[in-house]
Short mmCIF file of all heavy atoms in Angstrom, two decimals:
data_model
loop_
_atom_site.label_atom_id
_atom_site.label_comp_id
_atom_site.label_asym_id
_atom_site.label_seq_id
_atom_site.Cartn_x
_atom_site.Cartn_y
_atom_site.Cartn_z
N GLN A 257 -21.85 92.08 -81.70
CA GLN A 257 -21.61 93.17 -80.81
C GLN A 257 -22.25 92.99 -79.38
O GLN A 257 -21.72 93.57 -78.43
CB GLN A 257 -22.46 94.40 -81.44
CG GLN A 257 -21.50 95.44 -81.94
CD GLN A 257 -22.25 96.65 -82.65
OE1 GLN A 257 -23.44 96.66 -82.49
NE2 GLN A 257 -21.54 97.48 -83.27
N ALA A 258 -23.19 92.09 -79.29
CA ALA A 258 -23.78 91.89 -78.01
C ALA A 258 -23.01 90.89 -77.13
O ALA A 258 -23.24 90.70 -75.86
CB ALA A 258 -25.24 91.35 -78.19
N ILE A 259 -22.00 90.30 -77.74
CA ILE A 259 -21.26 89.23 -76.97
C ILE A 259 -20.39 89.91 -75.86
O ILE A 259 -19.81 91.01 -76.03
CB ILE A 259 -20.28 88.53 -77.95
CG1 ILE A 259 -21.09 87.73 -78.98
CG2 ILE A 259 -19.28 87.58 -77.13
CD1 ILE A 259 -20.26 87.00 -80.03
N GLN A 260 -20.43 89.26 -74.67
CA GLN A 260 -19.68 89.74 -73.54
C GLN A 260 -18.77 88.63 -73.10
O GLN A 260 -18.96 87.47 -73.49
CB GLN A 260 -20.62 90.09 -72.38
CG GLN A 260 -21.67 91.19 -72.71
CD GLN A 260 -22.63 91.45 -71.57
OE1 GLN A 260 -22.45 90.97 -70.47
NE2 GLN A 260 -23.59 92.29 -71.79
N PRO A 261 -17.81 88.95 -72.23
CA PRO A 261 -16.94 87.85 -71.84
C PRO A 261 -17.59 86.68 -71.09
O PRO A 261 -17.25 85.54 -71.12
CB PRO A 261 -15.93 88.54 -70.75
CG PRO A 261 -16.00 89.98 -71.14
CD PRO A 261 -17.41 90.21 -71.71
N ASN A 262 -18.83 87.06 -70.49
CA ASN A 262 -19.62 86.02 -69.77
C ASN A 262 -20.73 85.45 -70.65
O ASN A 262 -21.71 84.78 -70.15
CB ASN A 262 -20.13 86.59 -68.54
CG ASN A 262 -21.04 87.80 -68.73
OD1 ASN A 262 -20.95 88.46 -69.75
ND2 ASN A 262 -21.80 88.18 -67.70
N THR A 263 -20.78 85.65 -71.96
CA THR A 263 -21.84 85.13 -72.79
C THR A 263 -21.77 83.57 -72.89
O THR A 263 -20.70 83.06 -73.32
CB THR A 263 -21.84 85.70 -74.22
OG1 THR A 263 -22.01 87.09 -74.09
CG2 THR A 263 -22.95 85.17 -75.14
N LYS A 264 -22.78 82.93 -72.46
CA LYS A 264 -22.75 81.45 -72.40
C LYS A 264 -23.74 80.84 -73.24
O LYS A 264 -23.77 79.50 -73.46
CB LYS A 264 -22.96 80.93 -70.95
CG LYS A 264 -21.79 81.35 -70.03
CD LYS A 264 -20.58 80.46 -70.35
CE LYS A 264 -19.27 81.14 -69.66
NZ LYS A 264 -19.29 81.24 -68.33
N ALA A 265 -24.74 81.58 -73.79
CA ALA A 265 -25.77 80.97 -74.69
C ALA A 265 -26.31 82.00 -75.64
O ALA A 265 -26.39 83.18 -75.34
CB ALA A 265 -26.86 80.39 -73.84
N PHE A 266 -26.71 81.45 -76.80
CA PHE A 266 -27.52 82.28 -77.77
C PHE A 266 -28.86 81.50 -77.87
O PHE A 266 -28.93 80.32 -77.98
CB PHE A 266 -26.73 82.25 -79.11
CG PHE A 266 -25.47 82.95 -79.03
CD1 PHE A 266 -24.32 82.37 -78.52
CD2 PHE A 266 -25.37 84.23 -79.66
CE1 PHE A 266 -23.06 83.08 -78.47
CE2 PHE A 266 -24.16 84.97 -79.61
CZ PHE A 266 -22.97 84.41 -79.00
N TYR A 267 -29.85 82.40 -77.92
CA TYR A 267 -31.23 81.85 -77.96
C TYR A 267 -32.00 82.28 -79.12
O TYR A 267 -32.21 83.56 -79.24
CB TYR A 267 -31.96 82.20 -76.66
CG TYR A 267 -33.27 81.52 -76.45
CD1 TYR A 267 -33.43 80.34 -75.67
CD2 TYR A 267 -34.42 81.94 -77.20
CE1 TYR A 267 -34.64 79.69 -75.56
CE2 TYR A 267 -35.65 81.23 -77.09
CZ TYR A 267 -35.76 80.14 -76.27
OH TYR A 267 -36.91 79.49 -76.21
N ALA A 268 -32.34 81.44 -80.06
CA ALA A 268 -33.03 81.88 -81.25
C ALA A 268 -34.43 81.26 -81.32
O ALA A 268 -34.58 80.11 -80.87
CB ALA A 268 -32.22 81.52 -82.51
N GLU A 269 -35.30 81.90 -81.96
CA GLU A 269 -36.63 81.34 -82.24
C GLU A 269 -36.78 81.63 -83.76
O GLU A 269 -36.78 82.89 -84.19
CB GLU A 269 -37.64 82.20 -81.46
CG GLU A 269 -38.99 81.41 -81.19
CD GLU A 269 -39.81 82.35 -80.36
OE1 GLU A 269 -39.65 82.45 -79.15
OE2 GLU A 269 -40.69 83.11 -81.01
N THR A 270 -36.87 80.68 -84.56
CA THR A 270 -36.89 80.95 -85.98
C THR A 270 -37.86 80.00 -86.72
O THR A 270 -37.75 78.75 -86.57
CB THR A 270 -35.45 81.00 -86.64
OG1 THR A 270 -35.58 81.31 -87.94
CG2 THR A 270 -34.70 79.73 -86.45
N PRO A 271 -38.84 80.52 -87.50
CA PRO A 271 -39.18 81.92 -87.60
C PRO A 271 -39.75 82.38 -86.25
O PRO A 271 -40.31 81.69 -85.47
CB PRO A 271 -40.25 81.95 -88.68
CG PRO A 271 -40.28 80.66 -89.36
CD PRO A 271 -39.66 79.70 -88.36
N SER A 272 -39.48 83.74 -86.11
CA SER A 272 -39.76 84.33 -84.71
C SER A 272 -41.30 84.58 -84.56
O SER A 272 -42.01 84.69 -85.52
CB SER A 272 -38.97 85.47 -84.43
OG SER A 272 -39.44 86.49 -85.35
N ASN A 273 -41.70 84.68 -83.26
CA ASN A 273 -43.05 84.82 -82.95
C ASN A 273 -43.23 86.32 -82.43
O ASN A 273 -42.56 86.67 -81.43
CB ASN A 273 -43.37 83.91 -81.78
CG ASN A 273 -44.84 83.83 -81.38
OD1 ASN A 273 -45.66 84.54 -81.88
ND2 ASN A 273 -45.16 82.95 -80.37
#
Side-chain angles (χ1 to χ4, degrees):
Q257 252 175 9
I259 295 173
Q260 300 181 6
N262 56 344
T263 300
K264 292 288 163 55
F266 292 79
Y267 188 99
E269 205 180 276
T270 181
S272 65
N273 187 359

